[in-house]
Amino acid sequence: MALCRHSEEKSALQDMRERLGRMVVALSRDGEPVTAEDLGVAGAAAVLLCDAIMPTLMQTVEQTPVLVHCGPFANIAHGNSSIIADQVALSLAGEDGFCVTEAGFGADIGMEKFFNIKCRQSDLTPNCVILVATVRALKCHGGGPLVTPGKPLDSAYKQENLELLGAGVCNMQHHIKNANKFGVPVVVCVNRFATDSDAEIDLVCKAASEAGAFRAVMSNHWAKGGAGAIDLANAVVEACKSTPLDNFKFLYSLELSLMEKTVKICKEIYGAAEVTFSDKATAQLASYESQGFGKLPICIAKTHLSLSTDPARKGVPTGFSVTVREARASVGAGFIYLLLGSIMTIPGLPTLPGFFNVDLLPDGKIVGLF
């Protein structure tokens, strides 16, 4: 649903109905794809989803409209808000307005899929990339202490440490260079925490500029709301005016084979030295190409904690190998879905899931949500 779109040729509902019909649910005894349309269930599925296709309108505390719709995780899906929400936002903003849409996690996964999958299907061209960086995250990539959910944050992340930060800015620089490969100007938003020092902010901004960012700006919206992001907004406006839209380009051609597209992403975006395919993945990709799905874009599921497939390798790993263990065809959505490393496509629950704390009191009050 996130990739459905409204166009002059068809409505978003029509597009969704066709995508549901194209979903491959099985193979025949002759090895031919069996679709939801073949089984006669696509229409019923469309009826179930006909209201869900409409984005939810919300607002910030400063009454800025926000459209929330879809947004699957970028480590196990394409990680972007819906095309329909973007189209609605653009129509409301008008010719002189701005629509900011999120691509999940780092530029190696959410942004890459935004460009190579979402932009292809939406026919919308991005004007600017806003790359969000924090001093704490870059310290982690510089070799900082392990961060464990639920445990107190180590003091290294709350005190000035220019050496640790300086060792980790290479990760941000890699993401900037990745964004520049698509011909889109990059504005780095340094999301300030109360414990960040001025020297640390300056170090990040300088490293961003050296890597080719159009501008790097400290943003203090956490403390000051919209007023704390005025410099960032001005930098984005300037960046959008600086580069013609025809400067944008995709990373790969859809005419390449599925393996060639995969290798291009792994080597040029992640920085892998070698890409190998399991026997299972090799057979699956060959089968998809023989079934006519070879010109679809690639959606890779991998860890968001590292450029490599090993969550423990921080910074900018080099000399690593990537193994494609499995391939799946998401024909309705319109991409081939690859699994790298040990990634799980269904996030695991903790030992004590949060729903154990949620309950309804006799007076109708809900408890345990937060």
Side-chain angles (χ1 to χ4, degrees):
M1 185 181 294
L3 297 175
C4 295
R5 56 170 293 204
H6 176 83
S7 65
E8 293 181 359
E9 294 76 25
K10 68 180 75 170
S11 68
L13 280 172
Q14 287 175 298
D15 188 25
M16 180 184 73
R17 172 63 178 79
E18 292 178 6
R19 288 173 180 272
L20 290 169
R22 291 198 300 266
M23 290 191 305
V24 175
V25 298
L27 295 178
S28 70
R29 289 173 178 163
D30 296 327
E32 294 299 317
V34 177
T35 67
E37 197 71 65
D38 294 332
L39 298 180
V41 300
V47 171
L48 288 173
L49 294 172
C50 66
D51 289 332
I53 198 171
M54 295 184 288
T56 300
L57 177 61
M58 303 180 74
Q59 63 180 1
T60 69
V61 293
E62 296 180 350
Q63 288 79 53
T64 300
V66 177
L67 291 164
V68 179
H69 199 213
C70 302
F73 292 143
N75 58 334
I76 55 175
H78 63 77
N80 285 273
S81 180
S82 74
I83 291 173
I84 296 171
D86 290 353
Q87 291 177 317
V88 172
L90 287 167
S91 69
L92 294 174
E95 291 186 6
D96 297 325
F98 292 81
C99 167
V100 180
T101 187
E102 182 187 12
F105 293 123
D108 55 322
I109 44 181
M111 185 202 71
E112 181 272 315
K113 296 168 187 177
F114 175 86
F115 287 148
N116 287 318
I117 298 175
K118 186 178 177 182
C119 288
R120 272 193 165 101
Q121 301 208 24
S122 69
D123 285 335
L124 296 173
T125 303
N127 300 83
C128 171
V129 169
I130 303 172
L131 186 72
V132 181
T134 67
V135 167
R136 291 181 178 183
L138 295 176
K139 285 180 177 178
C140 183
H141 279 289
L146 181 67
V147 176
T148 304
K151 292 186 178 181
L153 195 64
D154 191 279
S155 61
Y157 296 107
K158 296 182 285 187
Q159 298 174 358
E160 182 179 287
N161 191 325
L162 298 179
E163 182 179 358
L164 190 62
L165 178 62
V169 292
C170 58
N171 182 269
M172 173 192 66
Q173 292 177 318
H174 185 93
H175 289 301
I176 293 170
K177 293 172 184 176
N178 275 345
N180 282 333
K181 291 178 181 179
F182 295 88
V184 182
V186 181
V187 172
V188 173
C189 163
V190 186
N191 187 9
R192 183 161 202 160
F193 283 64
T195 54
D196 298 342
S197 71
D198 290 340
E200 288 176 325
I201 297 294
D202 290 342
L203 191 159
V204 175
C205 290
K206 181 181 178 182
S209 297
E210 290 173 349
F214 176 84
R215 191 72 51 78
V217 183
M218 183 277 291
S219 185
N220 203 15
H221 50 275
W222 177 83
K224 299 181 180 180
I230 290 176
D231 289 343
L232 172 64
N234 288 332
V236 170
V237 171
E238 188 179 345
C240 289
K241 295 177 179 178
S242 72
T243 307
L245 290 179
D246 58 10
N247 204 52
F248 172 70
K249 53 184 178 291
F250 298 114
L251 181 70
Y252 55 78
S253 165
L254 294 180
E255 300 300 318
L256 296 176
S257 71
L258 296 176
M259 279 192 174
E260 288 172 327
K261 295 170 200 171
T262 303
V263 170
K264 200 166 183 67
I265 295 171
C266 292
K267 289 190 173 182
E268 293 199 25
I269 300 298
Y270 309 155
E274 181 184 20
V275 183
T276 60
F277 296 81
S278 69
D279 292 342
K280 181 179 182 180
T282 299
Q284 289 168 325
L285 291 175
S287 176
Y288 297 148
E289 290 189 333
S290 69
Q291 293 165 3
F293 307 139
K295 293 186 178 180
L296 292 178
I298 299 295
C299 182
I300 293 179
K302 67 176 283 289
T303 180
H304 60 288
L305 298 173
S306 173
L307 289 166
S308 71
T309 56
D310 180 358
R313 299 193 66 176
K314 304 300 184 182
V316 182
T318 58
F320 63 92
S321 177
V322 164
T323 299
V324 179
R325 77 171 197 265
E326 187 177 343
R328 302 171 185 174
S330 297
V331 180
F335 51 72
I336 300 299
Y337 182 50
L338 305 181
L339 276 61
L340 268 57
S342 58
I343 188 72
M344 295 173 58
T345 55
I346 300 179
L349 291 173
T351 305
L352 185 67
F355 61 74
F356 278 110
N357 300 319
V358 180
D359 209 338
L360 184 67
L361 300 182
D363 62 357
K365 183 180 179 180
I366 298 173
V367 296
L369 289 178
F370 303 101

